[in-house]
Amino acid sequence: MNHLLFGVAYYDEYMPYDRLDEDIRMMKKAGINTVRIAESTWSTCEPQPGVFDFSHVERVLDAMEKAGIRVIIGTPTYAIPTWMAKLHPEVMAVTNEGQNRYGHRQLMDITSPAYRFYAERVIRKLMNVSAHRKCVIGFQLDNETKHYGTAGPNVQLRFVKYLREKFHDDLDAMNREFGLDYWSNRLNSWEDFVDVRGTINGSLGAEFEKFQRTLVDEFLMWQADIVNEYRREDQFITHNFDLDWKDHSFGVQPDVDHFHAAKALTTAGIDIYHPTQDLLTGKEIALGGAIARSLKNGANYLVLETEAQGYVTWVPYKGQLRLQAYSHLSCGSNSVMYWHWHSIHNSYETYWKGLLSHDFAENETYKEACVIGEELARFGDHLVNLKKKNDVAMLVSNEALTALKWFPLDSLLNKMDMGYNDIMRRIFDAVFDMNLECDFLWPDSENFDDYKVILVPALYAVSDEVLHRLTRFVENGGHIVVTFKTGFANENNKVSTEVQPRILRECLGICYHEFTLPRDIVALKGDIIPEGEHKAEAFMELVIPEGAEVLAHYDHYNWNSYAAITRNHFGKGTATYLATLTDEETLKAVLRTVMNGAGIDLSEETAGVTIHRGVNDYGRTVWYYLNYSPEEKKVIYHGRRAVDLVWEGSAEPETDQKIEPETELIAAPWGVRILEEEQA
Amino acid sequence: MNHLLFGVAYYDEYMPYDRLDEDIRMMKKAGINTVRIAESTWSTCEPQPGVFDFSHVERVLDAMEKAGIRVIIGTPTYAIPTWMAKLHPEVMAVTNEGQNRYGHRQLMDITSPAYRFYAERVIRKLMNVSAHRKCVIGFQLDNETKHYGTAGPNVQLRFVKYLREKFHDDLDAMNREFGLDYWSNRLNSWEDFVDVRGTINGSLGAEFEKFQRTLVDEFLMWQADIVNEYRREDQFITHNFDLDWKDHSFGVQPDVDHFHAAKALTTAGIDIYHPTQDLLTGKEIALGGAIARSLKNGANYLVLETEAQGYVTWVPYKGQLRLQAYSHLSCGSNSVMYWHWHSIHNSYETYWKGLLSHDFAENETYKEACVIGEELARFGDHLVNLKKKNDVAMLVSNEALTALKWFPLDSLLNKMDMGYNDIMRRIFDAVFDMNLECDFLWPDSENFDDYKVILVPALYAVSDEVLHRLTRFVENGGHIVVTFKTGFANENNKVSTEVQPRILRECLGICYHEFTLPRDIVALKGDIIPEGEHKAEAFMELVIPEGAEVLAHYDHYNWNSYAAITRNHFGKGTATYLATLTDEETLKAVLRTVMNGAGIDLSEETAGVTIHRGVNDYGRTVWYYLNYSPEEKKVIYHGRRAVDLVWEGSAEPETDQKIEPETELIAAPWGVRILEEEQA
Amino acid sequence: MNHLLFGVAYYDEYMPYDRLDEDIRMMKKAGINTVRIAESTWSTCEPQPGVFDFSHVERVLDAMEKAGIRVIIGTPTYAIPTWMAKLHPEVMAVTNEGQNRYGHRQLMDITSPAYRFYAERVIRKLMNVSAHRKCVIGFQLDNETKHYGTAGPNVQLRFVKYLREKFHDDLDAMNREFGLDYWSNRLNSWEDFVDVRGTINGSLGAEFEKFQRTLVDEFLMWQADIVNEYRREDQFITHNFDLDWKDHSFGVQPDVDHFHAAKALTTAGIDIYHPTQDLLTGKEIALGGAIARSLKNGANYLVLETEAQGYVTWVPYKGQLRLQAYSHLSCGSNSVMYWHWHSIHNSYETYWKGLLSHDFAENETYKEACVIGEELARFGDHLVNLKKKNDVAMLVSNEALTALKWFPLDSLLNKMDMGYNDIMRRIFDAVFDMNLECDFLWPDSENFDDYKVILVPALYAVSDEVLHRLTRFVENGGHIVVTFKTGFANENNKVSTEVQPRILRECLGICYHEFTLPRDIVALKGDIIPEGEHKAEAFMELVIPEGAEVLAHYDHYNWNSYAAITRNHFGKGTATYLATLTDEETLKAVLRTVMNGAGIDLSEETAGVTIHRGVNDYGRTVWYYLNYSPEEKKVIYHGRRAVDLVWEGSAEPETDQKIEPETELIAAPWGVRILEEEQA
């Protein structure tokens, strides 16, 4: 890709009146150079089974081509037409709650052959009318695909076959590995397989969810295979992965294994929705960006959806829309695409507002998009294809996430709202706040050695092999930061009989036999602990040092002999352990030690603004200074002589704006500075 | 009606032993002159299908007639007998949650022909034994009828026919108007109509609820037609409408369009249940009264149910039962009827206590009823048929209420507990606290011009026609107070493509393109704002004045250029806009300006007690001074020379108690004064 | 029984590898002398229908016998195998929520003949291999049996027959007694019986729950009859009853009538799970102990399950495991058995941890068990078969508990989380804190006269007969403390028409007609009320004294004429009434008066530690001083010359540790002292 995509999702189908020419005029004015169309419009494209009408698609393609606006075609398969639900009620997924009623999107069984038959036909028809078009630069498969909890008899039958294969038809092996003897859940014959939706066995239940995730891999690969029959070499295949949702994009997606599912794509894509106004921090943008960036070995990715106005609470303050756009680019995205162009006048997401309000008038948000568009047109070629080389990576796992849902920190009590992503985010956010950029790793990633430091939050359910690789990583000079719960169970959620932390015991130089909850009464003490009160916030392993240095211990009459935070030298590296969840300040103190030990530069930790860096197509380093605050910030520039790409806040815009090293830069409230270093 | 009804619901059927004579003795002692009987007693009247036994009804009629107590006959149809549920399981309504189980009342499908067959027969039989009786003064149709969410295949089939008629068989028109293309919900054939219970389309969903409300209109009209075949000219037909419920009567009923449904009645009726003890404010009584009074052009109405002891938290403090009774009458009610005479010894509402406790003894509540009965007997003829001429009306709408349920203020977040009635009540309560009396209007009301001021809370889903009528109302010298969200969508929940506020833009002299939530951080500033901190409490439109005077703007660095409260002169009237929800103090400041502008007398605003007025059958103005507080209150009487009807707190009860203008009246704690002006 | 059982539940079936010899070695080291096996292992014992494999059971029996460890055999019937659910789906119970899915334990219909057929066969097979074994000392029937809400058509058919018998086929009697006329629920033909799961009639609903409890009685008796065919005279039959659960054992079990169900057993048994760490109070141990002890006329009972590490929040502080063990013994238990030996590596209760963690290593909890084991081996014969003679008893009732669920204190509001057990616990806890030991009585108990004081919390639904017995108890010199709500309804949940408190009115010397909630604004005043603010906390009857002395009245302008706490002399005894729920301090002030009046010694009330006493097999009184606090406590010993059984804290362990009367004892933090008086 040699250009940034500044775009919107566009639905001619939803328009209350013919707006196409006027919309294109307004897009051009705003610098919008890409639209995504067609996804979700199945009932318009195929009004009756086998009757096709792509007039909306074709007229938009015609108009966009003429206007020089690029088009991404989305396959329309994530929302089925009424006629299909009526004709083939069996396409509606059967979930834990019974069979879905038609209405909402994404309620069908993605394995249903009836659904697949119609989906394949409409995709092929759509490819026929669109793939050859010059303006079409790529394809998006479906939309935020997940397994939607599909668990009907057909899915469960496949699951039994999957289990037979996994356990080589050895029932005893499965009973043993899953501990099915407990409460007489043992299966003594494959014919006795009962509805898995009722299971209370965490191994079996988590395995079923893992199996459900493989359905998504298979589904996307199936769609990719179809699209591949039609697409040109220069057309990409992408998909808009979405993250776990806590009123906004929050963490690792529970229902898709992004690392596996991405194999169907030529280009990773992601949807990132985040709070704005006083809650805009850049963290969700960095998180989603880092995940997407890491799916394809650091290759640039596409932000296929992000909000313009979005939720009613997200209407951006002045400057924020622009800050957000550059935040995405600073993470390595090659696009900023809004969902969506115009607010929709009916139905469900009426108040998930687009760039335009319902009145299609030029509002403040649109006006700010015009500024962005103008700037990207001017110097976007200096920002596209930004490449990063990070020293720090976070190792995440769908299996661990699912396991901690089955076995939460307080287990059967299940009253703490503290899941895997909460723990992961605590660490990710601390790293972000230290002004360090971070990539992601998955258990199957093969590039552990690309990093100096690997962060390992709550890697609860994990194979021996991964733990051995982590051990070797340290042995060879790497540094790991591991939290409580890591390694406790194997990949089948069988808790180990080894003394914990399993396999990592020697590497971490510690062990523990018991754990409890701090219940807000246990403080932390130790040289590493910052001034003031710092508590054990959640979970609390009673760690006995076996060679490791104790950085902090519990401050409680009954627990004070146990360690809370330790560091161990092992081989050429170090292994740091957090036996409890700490506040971010404590966490940063620990991470600082680790980063220093790993030789990672922390000089920008206190810069006061967020700094992102990468190398552009010209081989030059681009520095982003992102000010996520309503105050003006001053920051010393530590790079080489550079060009100020935006001239924002410049006194003399007519000069060519060379910035000398150690210059004090001013970043406006919710503002951004972008500097491009001169070539060495 | 030439007498006040002071009454109770009476259930001979529920009595643990024969109490009829003793109950009548106690009723007479308490001045009870009316009983309502028979509703809910179907299983006693018709023990087996086609076997009738009206002995309870007839013995009560005999005894009441002899005792000179009037009787209202309720049709028994709201609670079906076990035999019907067993014999015809299909009469149980199918709702969003599936088919109801028998047990609770009001769970049947009111459209079921089996139910209708039996209901008609039992009504006719009951009419046969009761309609000719002298003591029977009227009939109550069913009880608090609603649609009970009935949504089975039969109801949905009728709905499809309703839609075909509404859209003249034009599917495209419906798809367009409801925006069904979104998420492929488009209907390309009427045969493809899928179960509407799953819909996420707010237009379709709200239309279905509107359709369900028409079932109630039709049901009551059907019952009225039957009763009309039997009743005498002097016998009324009424129905006890109930309000939206928030632990007590709270606001507009979501499941019935009272304005439409009331067409079946000769006399409006209502059930009003409200907090007492320290929470007794008179507001729910005034609200329910105003709604009932407005259903039939200001005609007097019946309070068919209100509590005696009621909920365990509602046992009245000394004086409150009497204050409540006069509160009803002061609003124009011609009755005060308690649900119910005696507390029930079993089943479900065992602790919804009656005038008597389970022990049938004379308790404090009963003793206070005796005082009321004695007073009403003495001067009730001066209170009956009170007529009002109010200057202020509130325009409410079932469609707007339903729409704000589908599209709450925070939309998809759906975390605020702030619906249509909360907004409506904020304004109603402020008006009440300003000592102004207020009527109600509905979109179909034809008497907008009877008022000087129309209050328009959140009239979200509304036809062009109503907005044009409001505009003309202002043009012709009327004054409107309009809140945020008004006019945003048409009557089909299609958001307008006009710049907002749609149609009213010129009249209000403002426009807005965007809106957000204040999240507790936005204060209000402006001359109108009282001292102290006053915040934007919920929702927040970013209003741009276009000629209107800005009464207040947002006090927030990013939003301070936008107006929060505006007033515009338009034609001969004014149009005031509230772009956010304010506290009551701010609201009263705004309303004060409006009322002054409309020439409405505010001299009693600070009287310290609630004042209600009306003209009685003697053509004289009656003044009620209602003291909803535990403190004695002093208030200056501003009317003409008057008679003190009660002599309460009088030093010399033997005088004829003439009260001169500008006399200082004393209202006892939880007390009431009632003055009748001398004729002019 | 001539020995204490110190034991664990042991599951060879769940072991990840063969641990039997090593486990026995560790048990012996810890002094474990008993294991409970086999319950919940049905799918292992009977892998396919009719195919049996008791190899796990037999190898454990062999090993235990060899090691001298006793065995309790649990019938495996509470968790059914997958093959049964697959082959006979009808065994899964139909509850209010529909038919259960297989997975969790205790979801079958305990009345299902298919289930019963297989259950009987497996029990008989298990008996065949185990009953004759020397090491087998007794049998546990099933596990924490309840009715699991079974309510399918078969169960409802039995219920109809039960009702016909109860009412001698007299439908009218039932309609009248249950008040079914209300809302037309009347049954005019037995054929019209509709699904009881939908009922809103509290009498019918509560009766159904009572009927469901009888299914448990019948089920346990059925199992006992089978086991009786096999067991030796010296082998006991027990069952591990469990209590109502509020994150731990809390109160009377709603779903079993323990008093009735215990008739199937030779020895009462109970499971007690309680908070530890800072929340260890000894109250749940005393409560569960008192219930179990009272089931068989004061006979010693077995604690079949209690936690070792248990919940993640329950990991014991140093000393607590030992304190807990002696707490059980001090209440009359003849056993302390942990659930379970080792933490389980899979499935559901993975984090309900055993004595051993998943690593099977010697952890702190295990090490403390070793101390206990050593001590019990040394002087357990002085602790076994402890007999008590208490003066105080608490009268509890399943019917009252169920009734207050149907008719909670705030009735239809149903917002207070204040049920029967909360009220009961408030009183039980106050008595515990006064250092008084207390037994339990049920309505059918015949030994009221064994006590000086009977505490009667909220005995809402109760027969005339029980109230008359209480009256006679007082007349004859007994003392009762009765709370609000007592006697309000009869045993069929029909509220009385008598002036309340029904039947007890004369005995209590009070009456009331009305009641309300205090809503946190009503204080209590009176000589009995301690210094400081003391409020009416929940419910509030408006009591009119009729001869009783008013100990406290309500401090509120509208209610201050009513009594809140009264005491009446009646016959030779006294009757004290609490018309509202008070805080514990007030409650203790009231109880102090009552106990003094009853001649009950309160000299240990302020001892600062909990004191339990009883007489051992040697006829000597044993004193337990239990220190539930992290501070060292000093307490004066008031008994005769005694032996210190533990020598804990002793300066000279070599002396024979005679403790003289009035010696100051020191109880360590979370420590215990045990003194055995010399014979008189």
Side-chain angles (χ1 to χ4, degrees), chain A residues 96 177 182 184 186 188 192-193 203 407 415 460 488 494-495 513-514 516 519 521 556-558, chain C residues 42-43 47-48 82 86 101-102 247 277-278 309 312 317-318 345-347 349 351 357 359 365 670:
Chain A
N96 281 1
E177 189 64 19
Y182 173 85
S184 280
R186 185 177 177 83
N188 293 298
D192 292 341
F193 213 93
S203 293
F407 301 105
K415 289 182 178 176
Y460 176 83
F488 207 81
K494 188 172 199 70
V495 170
H513 307 293
E514 297 187 297
T516 188
R519 287 187 300 121
I521 56 170
H556 178 278
Y557 80 95
N558 200 72
Chain C
W42 197 342
S43 69
Q48 287 291 294
T82 50
K86 192 80 176 188
R101 281 187 194 139
Y102 181 86
D247 290 339
Q277 297 187 358
D278 297 311
Q309 296 183 69
V312 67
Y317 288 164
K318 193 162 182 49
H345 300 77
N346 288 88
S347 201
E349 292 183 311
Y351 288 96
S357 290
D359 60 9
T365 308
W670 307 114

Side-chain angles (χ1 to χ4, degrees), chain A residues 291-350:
Chain A
I291 288 177
R293 188 178 64 230
S294 304
L295 289 175
K296 294 278 182 191
N297 284 313
N300 299 97
Y301 60 94
L302 299 176
V303 172
L304 288 157
E305 292 185 20
T306 191
E307 75 249 25
Q309 296 182 70
Y311 262 151
V312 66
T313 49
W314 291 352
V315 179
Y317 288 164
K318 194 163 181 47
Q320 292 191 329
L321 194 78
R322 179 170 168 270
L323 174 60
Q324 293 162 205
Y326 286 119
S327 298
H328 289 295
L329 302 181
S330 77
C331 292
S333 176
N334 269 348
S335 73
V336 177
M337 298 194 61
Y338 299 116
W339 197 84
H340 39 356
W341 172 243
H342 81 286
S343 305
I344 299 174
H345 300 78
N346 289 89
S347 201
Y348 188 72
E349 291 183 311
T350 312

Side-chain angles (χ1 to χ4, degrees), chain B residues 442-612:
Chain B
W442 289 265
D444 290 349
S445 298
E446 293 175 355
N447 57 332
F448 284 20
D449 293 335
D450 290 353
Y451 299 94
K452 293 182 180 168
V453 174
I454 299 179
L455 308 168
V456 188
L459 191 65
Y460 176 83
V462 61
S463 69
D464 290 5
E465 187 267 337
V466 171
L467 297 175
H468 284 305
R469 279 167 66 204
L470 283 173
T471 306
R472 283 199 303 275
F473 173 76
V474 178
E475 227 164 6
N476 295 336
H479 303 267
I480 58 176
V481 179
V482 177
T483 82
F484 53 94
K485 280 284 186 190
T486 294
F488 206 82
N490 74 5
E491 69 276 23
N492 293 317
N493 271 292
K494 188 172 198 72
V495 170
S496 176
T497 60
E498 279 182 50
V499 172
Q500 297 286 351
R502 154 175 161 251
I503 298 176
L504 296 178
R505 180 180 180 179
E506 195 191 343
C507 171
L508 288 163
I510 58 164
C511 78
Y512 66 92
H513 307 291
E514 296 187 300
F515 42 81
T516 187
L517 299 187
R519 287 185 301 122
D520 206 36
I521 57 170
V522 179
L524 297 173
K525 259 198 184 158
D527 292 345
I528 199 83
I529 304 300
E531 289 232 343
E533 200 189 38
H534 298 273
K535 288 183 178 174
E537 289 196 4
F539 216 65
M540 184 177 157
E541 291 163 350
L542 305 174
V543 163
I544 302 162
E546 298 180 321
E549 177 190 359
V550 176
L551 301 185
H553 65 87
Y554 301 116
D555 185 21
H556 178 279
Y557 79 94
N558 199 71
W559 309 123
N560 50 20
S561 68
Y562 297 106
I565 309 174
T566 61
R567 187 172 51 176
N568 196 42
H569 289 271
F570 181 75
K572 299 181 195 155
T574 69
T576 299
Y577 195 70
L578 295 156
T580 185
L581 189 72
T582 74
D583 57 34
E584 191 177 308
E585 207 187 335
T586 301
L587 202 47
K588 282 160 75 171
V590 174
L591 290 171
R592 212 170 285 132
T593 310
V594 175
M595 299 303 166
N596 283 330
I600 291 172
D601 178 21
L602 289 174
S603 59
E604 302 288 16
E605 185 185 347
T606 54
V609 300
T610 297
I611 302 175
H612 284 166

Side-chain angles (χ1 to χ4, degrees), chain A residues 460-612:
Chain A
Y460 176 83
V462 60
S463 68
D464 291 4
E465 186 267 337
V466 172
L467 296 175
H468 285 304
R469 280 167 64 204
L470 283 172
T471 306
R472 284 198 303 274
F473 172 77
V474 177
E475 227 164 9
N476 296 337
H479 303 267
I480 59 176
V481 180
V482 176
T483 82
F484 52 94
K485 281 284 186 189
T486 293
F488 207 81
N490 74 6
E491 69 277 22
N492 293 316
N493 270 294
K494 188 172 199 70
V495 170
S496 176
T497 60
E498 278 183 50
V499 172
Q500 297 286 352
R502 154 175 160 250
I503 297 175
L504 296 177
R505 178 179 181 180
E506 195 191 344
C507 171
L508 287 163
I510 59 165
C511 78
Y512 66 93
H513 307 293
E514 297 187 297
F515 40 83
T516 188
L517 299 187
R519 287 187 300 121
D520 206 36
I521 56 170
V522 178
L524 297 173
K525 259 197 182 159
D527 291 344
I528 198 83
I529 305 299
E531 290 234 340
E533 199 190 39
H534 298 271
K535 289 184 177 173
E537 290 196 3
F539 216 64
M540 183 176 157
E541 291 163 349
L542 304 175
V543 163
I544 301 161
E546 296 180 323
E549 175 191 0
V550 176
L551 301 184
H553 65 88
Y554 301 116
D555 184 21
H556 178 278
Y557 80 95
N558 200 72
W559 310 123
N560 51 19
S561 69
Y562 296 107
I565 309 174
T566 61
R567 187 172 51 176
N568 196 43
H569 289 271
F570 181 75
K572 301 181 194 154
T574 69
T576 299
Y577 195 70
L578 296 155
T580 186
L581 188 72
T582 73
D583 57 34
E584 192 178 308
E585 207 186 336
T586 301
L587 203 46
K588 282 159 75 172
V590 174
L591 290 171
R592 212 170 286 130
T593 309
V594 175
M595 299 303 165
N596 282 330
I600 292 171
D601 177 22
L602 289 174
S603 60
E604 303 287 15
E605 185 186 346
T606 55
V609 301
T610 297
I611 301 175
H612 284 167

Side-chain angles (χ1 to χ4, degrees), chain B residues 267-301:
Chain B
T267 304
I270 192 137
D271 290 352
I272 301 175
Y273 291 105
H274 55 83
T276 64
Q277 297 187 358
D278 297 312
L279 304 175
L280 177 63
T281 62
K283 283 171 186 165
E284 287 78 19
I285 293 175
L287 173 83
I291 288 178
R293 189 177 63 229
S294 303
L295 288 175
K296 294 279 184 189
N297 284 314
N300 298 98
Y301 59 95

Side-chain angles (χ1 to χ4, degrees), chain B residues 312-329:
Chain B
V312 66
T313 50
W314 291 353
V315 179
Y317 287 165
K318 195 164 180 47
Q320 292 192 329
L321 193 79
R322 180 170 167 270
L323 174 61
Q324 293 162 205
Y326 287 118
S327 297
H328 289 295
L329 302 181

Side-chain angles (χ1 to χ4, degrees), chain C residues 412-485:
Chain C
L412 292 169
L413 284 168
N414 204 2
K415 289 182 177 176
M416 293 166 67
D417 185 24
M418 171 72 63
Y420 177 82
N421 278 325
D422 299 283
I423 302 166
M424 182 275 282
R425 278 299 299 268
R426 184 69 61 96
I427 299 179
F428 182 87
D429 291 1
V431 170
F432 181 94
D433 286 338
M434 293 172 77
N435 241 332
L436 290 172
E437 293 190 75
C438 163
D439 290 341
F440 274 77
L441 292 169
W442 289 265
D444 290 348
S445 298
E446 294 174 355
N447 58 330
F448 284 20
D449 293 334
D450 290 353
Y451 298 94
K452 293 181 180 167
V453 173
I454 299 179
L455 308 167
V456 188
L459 191 64
Y460 176 83
V462 60
S463 68
D464 291 4
E465 187 267 337
V466 173
L467 297 175
H468 285 303
R469 280 168 65 206
L470 283 172
T471 306
R472 285 198 303 274
F473 173 76
V474 178
E475 228 163 5
N476 296 337
H479 303 266
I480 60 175
V481 179
V482 177
T483 81
F484 51 94
K485 280 284 186 189

Side-chain angles (χ1 to χ4, degrees), chain C residues 38-53:
Chain C
E39 45 83 50
S40 92
T41 66
W42 197 342
S43 69
T44 321
C45 299
E46 190 178 2
Q48 287 291 294
V51 177
F52 295 93
D53 174 358

